[in-house]
Amino acid sequence: MTITTERGRVAGELKSGSDLLYLSRQDVEDIGITRDEILDLTREALVEHGHQRYEMPAKIGVHPYDNVFYHAMPAYLPGPGIVGMKWIECYPDNPRKFHLPQTTGLLVINDVESGAPLAVMDSAWLTAMRTPAVTVLGAAALHPGATTFGMFGCGVQGKEHVRYAALAMPGMETVYVHDTNEAAADALIAELQPELDLRLVKGESAEAVTKSAQVLSSATVILREPLAVVKDGWVTAGQTILPCDLNTFWDPRTSQRADKYIVDSIAEHELFASMGYFPDGLPAIASETGEVLAGVKPGRESADEIIVNSNIGMAVCDIAVGNAILHRAIERGAGTRLPL
Ligand SMILES: NC(=O)c1ccc[n+]([C@@H]2O[C@H](COP(=O)([O-])OP(=O)(O)OC[C@H]3O[C@@H](n4cnc5c(N)ncnc54)[C@H](O)[C@@H]3O)[C@@H](O)[C@H]2O)c1
């Protein structure tokens, strides 16, 4: 799948300016966009970003409680002509306090020609899909031929990371998983082992997983003060680490001494640093993930390099996927039309 617009057709179908399509979480899931399609859409959005063909101010947010954020994530991709915004929150205590996901939100897609809103959709599914897609695209580019993957956090993101690693990292043989909640790791293995043609292993400890896998990722919690669960001394030459929970899980010294610290968005990381994340300082940034995927900047240049690739999430990926969901919904007659 390529990023498609046909905006005249979508705007026409929807009577742009008078009708809006609402897509619930179930609608979005039932539309049937595949993980392969998400990988293609995400790759294209990253490449557009790598070529600087985008407008995407760093997330502005509000913060009602400590360690809680709401982010407004607007973006415009001029190539395919997609404009939209995700409005998303992160409440790390939601699962414990309310049996709710940490992250919920909505995505709006507008008609770039008239500006009129075309669709509002639940953004949980697309966030659960595009985040691991970014991780594994980064992993495949930065660590081609890896056969072992370690996943910290076995929740919504962890589970999808394992699925995407199996899909997008050819030659992957073993995935080690770890979660402080052992039941989450057991549930991940019970659900995914039957569907995946690789070995899933519950790691005995964070240290054992770190020392077993060439490529590591974490999706746990995002906190201002690093938990530093993975000690710098456990990380060895040649490993690739791809956090999607910012700097929380890792000993800050690892990112500081990495041969390359690559981020999805420099502006986003600088913004988080200005809000008090990275209390030990933002490491020197070598390049952006999209630049590596676009071939504008180098990825791995030697087998010994330690590479940290931090992807905090970009609206260009959200709107690329949201736009595809909207197109598919129109084709299938899915969703609820509402008057504007
Ligand atoms: N970078 C991005 O684009 C992006 C997008 C969405 C979510 N996230 C972040 O990813 C993280 C996970 O999100 P989710 O929706 O999967 O949450 P989730 O609550 O479904 O899963 C988190 C899992 O991490 C585990 N965990 C917590 N602390 C841990 C620790 N110290 N060691 C090992 N496991 C631990 C929890 O037990 C839980 O199973 C959150 O921090 C979220 O903000 C990032």
Side-chain angles (χ1 to χ4, degrees):
M1 174 183 264
T2 52
I3 297 179
T4 164
T5 48
E6 298 172 72
R7 49 186 184 266
R9 191 167 72 79
V10 169
E13 288 270 346
L14 277 174
K15 297 199 206 88
S16 166
S18 62
D19 277 9
L20 175 84
L21 192 64
Y22 174 69
L23 296 163
S24 68
R25 183 178 304 192
Q26 200 61 49
D27 291 332
V28 171
E29 286 183 28
D30 290 348
I31 278 166
I33 300 218
T34 65
R35 290 182 180 82
D36 279 319
E37 289 173 319
I38 299 276
L39 281 166
D40 288 346
L41 292 161
T42 307
R43 184 186 296 106
E44 287 176 50
L46 287 168
V47 168
E48 289 301 294
H49 188 265
H51 286 297
Q52 313 297 322
R53 295 190 289 253
Y54 69 94
E55 188 180 353
M56 188 188 73
K59 302 158 189 174
I60 58 164
V62 292
H63 311 86
Y65 306 106
D66 194 32
N67 280 319
V68 153
F69 57 76
Y70 290 73
H71 279 155
M73 300 172 61
Y76 170 47
L77 283 168
I82 306 170
V83 67
M85 186 182 81
K86 188 162 84 170
W87 173 236
I88 193 151
E89 57 73 21
C90 182
Y91 274 61
D93 288 338
N94 263 3
R96 187 174 54 79
K97 275 193 183 163
F98 303 118
H99 299 290
L100 282 173
Q102 291 193 58
T103 304
T104 56
L106 293 170
L107 179 89
V108 180
I109 296 284
N110 294 71
D111 172 16
V112 72
E113 286 176 3
S114 70
L118 295 174
V120 174
M121 65 185 77
D122 180 86
S123 66
W125 183 85
L126 71 88
T127 302
M129 291 289 141
R130 68 68 158 140
T131 309
V134 172
T135 299
V136 300
L137 288 167
L142 294 167
H143 210 126
T147 55
T148 48
F149 187 89
M151 187 69 222
F152 295 108
C154 296
V156 174
Q157 288 292 338
K159 207 178 280 181
E160 282 304 326
H161 271 70
V162 174
R163 283 198 173 101
Y164 274 87
L167 187 65
M169 299 185 70
M172 185 53 60
E173 291 170 4
T174 308
V175 175
Y176 300 89
V177 298
H178 179 72
D179 197 299
T180 38
N181 173 8
E182 280 206 36
D186 289 335
L188 183 154
I189 293 175
E191 183 179 339
L192 298 192
Q193 187 62 85
E195 70 181 68
L196 299 180
D197 188 20
L198 47 69
R199 204 165 60 103
L200 291 181
V201 177
K202 185 166 79 169
E204 279 173 21
S205 62
E207 180 174 1
V209 170
T210 306
K211 291 181 172 174
S212 302
Q214 296 157 303
V215 177
L216 296 154
S217 181
S218 56
T220 57
V221 286
I222 296 177
L223 304 173
R224 273 199 190 81
E225 284 299 322
L227 295 172
V229 174
V230 175
K231 306 301 170 216
D232 184 46
W234 304 343
V235 174
T236 50
Q239 285 185 301
T240 304
I241 297 171
L242 302 107
C244 60
D245 42 15
L246 218 58
N247 58 327
T248 312
F249 198 72
W250 306 84
D251 186 332
R253 280 173 294 191
T254 302
S255 298
Q256 298 285 359
R257 76 173 171 103
D259 297 284
K260 289 195 179 85
Y261 183 68
I262 300 171
V263 301
D264 53 356
S265 162
I266 293 173
E268 300 289 2
H269 280 71
E270 286 176 344
L271 182 72
F272 272 98
S274 75
M275 293 189 299
Y277 295 80
F278 300 99
D280 301 279
L282 187 60
I285 296 172
S287 58
E288 293 182 320
T289 311
E291 291 179 309
V292 174
L293 291 183
V296 173
K297 294 268 177 76
R300 177 173 289 283
E301 292 173 288
S302 98
D304 285 347
E305 281 183 319
I306 292 176
I307 300 182
V308 177
N309 178 202
S310 170
N311 297 298
I312 190 53
M314 296 200 297
V316 289
C317 299
D318 296 314
I319 63 166
V321 175
N323 177 66
I325 290 170
L326 170 59
H327 278 76
R328 190 67 57 84
I330 297 287
E331 274 167 36
R332 303 258 161 108
T336 307
R337 287 178 191 230
L338 300 170
L340 258 185

